[in-house]
Structure formats: structure tokens, C-alpha cells
Amino acid sequence: MRTTPGAPRATATETMPAPAPARQATMPKVPSLLAACLSPGNVGEYNWLCCTQEDSKSFLKRMDEGCGATWDNKDPRRAKRNASPPPAGPKLALRISYAPGVESAGARLGPFSLGDDVAVTQLEPCKGYDPMTWRQGSSGSDSSSSSSSRSALLPRWGERFTAPHNFYRARVCVSDGKNGFEEYWCLLSVAAKSSDRNIENVQAAVDDSVTTASYAHRFNEHTARIHEEHSGGGGDADSVIGIRVCIPVGCYVIGGTASDICSPGEALSLSLFPFKQVQKLVFDGSEEFSELPQAFFHYCHHLSAGREVVTDIQGFEDEDGDLLIVDPVVVRPAAATVGSLLGAIVSNNTSSSANEEKLRFDTWHPRCGQLCKVFDPSRRSSQCRRACGLSVPTCGVGGA
């Protein structure tokens, strides 16, 4: 167990956090330079302020030294040009348009709020993100997992399962609310086809992460109680090693030089994720067995009675031992139609969906560990080592 809790502690009751409305845009107390320079009214006269190849710290230092501009004392959002504008702009200028994530023990939120403007100053492909393309069967995958018979258990309908995406490591610059900037490394996800880059598809991806974080909150509470019972000490869902879902935000592109990646008016998602690697933890059953994510998969299935299957659990273990999950997907039963009902009756196979659900569960969750036995004692448990600061089995990630 970590000695330093993270966010404010969650309550010890196992209560599903109520869905929260999308966060409203909050204006910083001091006008944002980034917002000012991206404002349509300032294009042409002031937009060069954010169009720089320098990192934001160097840029602000240059501003302070008076080498590039002087401040207008009557309006701190404005600056007067003293020098030639830099030759290039940000890779992408984004506006946050969908941000429903809420603080919880199962969520990791980025420094973004609805209505914020964000500048992507660096954008690079990352080989370590290739496993994220396997779900849609991207041609960029070099793993046999994407074409295995086991992955055929994933639905073959809906953008979340069929539309290939590209994933980039992005350095973003956001306002700190004090007329300055802060920089973060993020994961940027954008549909490979322009026709798929709409806000509805992005919202579906964000909503899957929000749903998964809600389950993660309850799972971490459950794990904290197990720790307390076994160790006799205190513990809460924030301080125990657990599952944390990186909640993305949906963004519209409003400009930038990387129009070949995403053009103005198109949508993409952005998650706070500083790592250069993503590891498949629960995908098609062929991955190395990891206790903590496998127990989380089982917990979500058990809690929802199979109505929601959280899968493609992927991410990276941080320095505290938490598993930071990105871009999970929630499999739900397909809506029944007259045709499907008649077909089931004619074939005398009304239990086909139940059989498919069982096959998915048994394939993606090949065995149970001791954590599974606690919340679902009807399933047999295998013996696992104790590690990761828990008085329960090791998470199994990173060779533990």
C-alpha cells in the first residue's frame, strides 16, 4: 500500500458514483494568452504569439525579456509586435468540446475543462502504442493477435470495433490560469479515415472510459477493504494499488500545421498519459496472465451480470504501482431486432447470445486468482504470489 494517498479519499461504501453532467467551461481569473491568440478576432494580428516552434517556457522567457513583444498595459491579453513572427505554428490547435469525466478513485483526469483551448506543440508516432491498433485489426499491427480466432469474439459492428485509429504521443500546452502555460505529454487518438473523425465517435470512446472508471472506482474500494481485512490497517480506494482509467476529452481541431493528421472541423480525443508504451492486459486471452487486470475484468462482468463486458484493458504501470488504463472498450449486447428474434426461434437457438457471452468470458479470462474468489466465490481460485504492497495476489504486471 502506498504511504501517500493521491486525490481526496473516496468513501468506504461500495456505491456507484452517480453520472455527472459534462463540466462547464470555466474562465481563468486571468485571461489566457492561448485563448486570446486563438480567438478568431485576433487571427492575423496576434495569432503569431502561439505559432512558435519554441517550447512554451522559452517563449515566455523571450516575451518577458522583451525580445519578441511588449505587453499592452491596458489589456494583458494583447501584445504588440516588435519582431518578425516565427515561421511555423502549433501542430494542432484544439478546443475541448466534450469533457464528462469526474474525480474518483478510478479516474485520472487531465488538466482540461470544457471550452479550453489547447496547443499541440509536438506530435510524434510512437512504436510503443502499436498494440492499441489491434482491436480494429489495423494493417499497422505486427502482431498475430489482431488476426487470431480469439479476437474474432470482439463485435464486428460499430466504430469502436471497426474503425482504425492512429495514436500519437503529443506534447500539449495549456493555460495555467495565470497568464502562463503548462506542458504535458498526452496520448492523442484520431481516426485513420477522415469520415470517422466526428464528435459522435469521439464521445463514444470517452463514454467507454467514463463507464470503465466507474467500475474501477468500486473495484478499488473493494480491494482496499480486502487489504484492510488482511493487514488490520487502514486503507482507502485512493491509496491502495489499483486500476485508474485515463479519461480522455473530446476536441475539435481549430487550426494547426498538421492538417494531414487532422483538419479543422474534425474531432479527436486527448488523454493525459506520459508513457511511451502501452501493454495489452486483457484482450483475447493470449496475453500473459496478470492478476490485477484479470480480476478487474471478472469484477466488471460479475457486477453487471454480463450486461457490460469491459475489455481491451491496456495501459502501463506507473511508479506507484497503479495500472493506468487507456482506451478500454465496453461490449454490450446488440439490440434485439425482429429479424434476430425470428431467426433465433426458427433455429431453436434462443441461448446463442448467452453461449457467446460465456465463450468470451472463458476465453478472455482463462483462470481466476484469489481476488476473484473474494467477490465471486463460486469460481475456483489459483494460487498467486503476494506483492505490489497488497495482502492479496500480485498484479502480475512487469514480471511481478
Side-chain angles (χ1 to χ4, degrees), residues 196-242:
D196 292 326
R197 297 171 193 161
N198 56 71
I199 196 61
E200 292 79 15
N201 288 341
V202 171
Q203 287 174 340
V206 174
D207 290 345
D208 275 355
S209 290
V210 171
T211 297
T212 304
S214 184
Y215 282 114
H217 175 86
R218 297 184 68 176
F219 177 78
N220 294 335
E221 288 182 329
H222 174 80
T223 305
R225 283 197 300 275
I226 295 176
H227 173 82
E228 187 172 3
E229 292 169 1
H230 282 73
S231 68
D236 61 25
D238 287 294
S239 58
V240 72
I241 290 173

Side-chain angles (χ1 to χ4, degrees), residues 79-90:
K80 299 176 182 178
R81 181 180 297 187
N82 275 347
S84 300

Side-chain angles (χ1 to χ4, degrees), residues 169-295:
R169 192 163 186 256
R171 187 170 69 174
V172 304
C173 184
V174 299
S175 170
D176 63 2
K178 301 176 182 178
N179 218 26
F181 295 112
E182 293 176 339
E183 289 186 314
Y184 300 90
W185 280 106
C186 295
L187 170 66
L188 186 145
S189 172
V190 58
K193 296 181 179 179
S194 178
S195 58
D196 292 326
R197 297 171 193 161
N198 56 71
I199 196 61
E200 292 79 15
N201 288 341
V202 171
Q203 287 174 340
V206 174
D207 290 345
D208 275 355
S209 290
V210 171
T211 297
T212 304
S214 184
Y215 282 114
H217 175 86
R218 297 184 68 176
F219 177 78
N220 294 335
E221 288 182 329
H222 174 80
T223 305
R225 283 197 300 275
I226 295 176
H227 173 82
E228 187 172 3
E229 292 169 1
H230 282 73
S231 68
D236 61 25
D238 287 294
S239 58
V240 72
I241 290 173
I243 303 290
R244 323 288 175 183
V245 182
C246 299
I247 305 293
V249 292
C251 312
Y252 276 113
V253 176
I254 58 178
T257 62
S259 58
D260 56 323
I261 292 176
C262 202
S263 300
E266 297 177 337
L268 53 78
S269 69
L270 194 67
S271 310
L272 182 65
F273 188 74
F275 306 105
K276 297 181 179 180
Q277 182 178 355
V278 170
Q279 178 183 356
K280 288 290 189 187
L281 304 171
V282 179
F283 178 54
D284 64 3
S286 65
E287 58 277 353
E288 182 180 354
F289 185 88
S290 302
E291 170 72 14
L292 192 61
Q294 282 286 341

Side-chain angles (χ1 to χ4, degrees), residues 322-366:
D322 284 330
L323 293 182
L324 300 188
I325 304 303
V326 291
D327 195 31
V329 67
V330 181
V331 179
R332 301 176 177 88
T337 64
V338 174
S340 64
L341 292 175
L342 290 176
I345 294 173
V346 170
S347 63
N348 196 27
N349 188 20
T350 57
S351 61
S352 60
S353 61
N355 292 335
E356 184 179 35
E357 175 194 322
K358 184 179 185 301
L359 181 59
R360 281 175 178 162
F361 182 86
D362 291 339
T363 302
W364 297 343
H365 186 59

Side-chain angles (χ1 to χ4, degrees), residues 105-172:
R108 286 285 176 89
L109 302 180
F112 313 116
S113 295
L114 192 65
D116 283 356
D117 292 332
V118 177
V120 177
T121 59
Q122 189 172 339
L123 198 59
E124 56 190 41
C126 189
K127 187 70 175 176
Y129 293 167
D130 282 358
M132 298 184 70
T133 67
W134 295 352
R135 183 200 311 156
Q136 295 91 357
S138 169
S139 59
S141 172
D142 58 0
S143 170
S144 60
S145 295
S146 62
S147 58
S148 70
S149 60
R150 293 181 177 184
S151 63
L153 293 172
L154 287 168
R156 290 292 90 191
W157 42 263
E159 187 274 343
R160 296 288 290 138
F161 304 97
T162 61
H165 277 62
N166 297 320
F167 301 91
Y168 298 91
R169 192 163 186 256
R171 187 170 69 174
V172 304

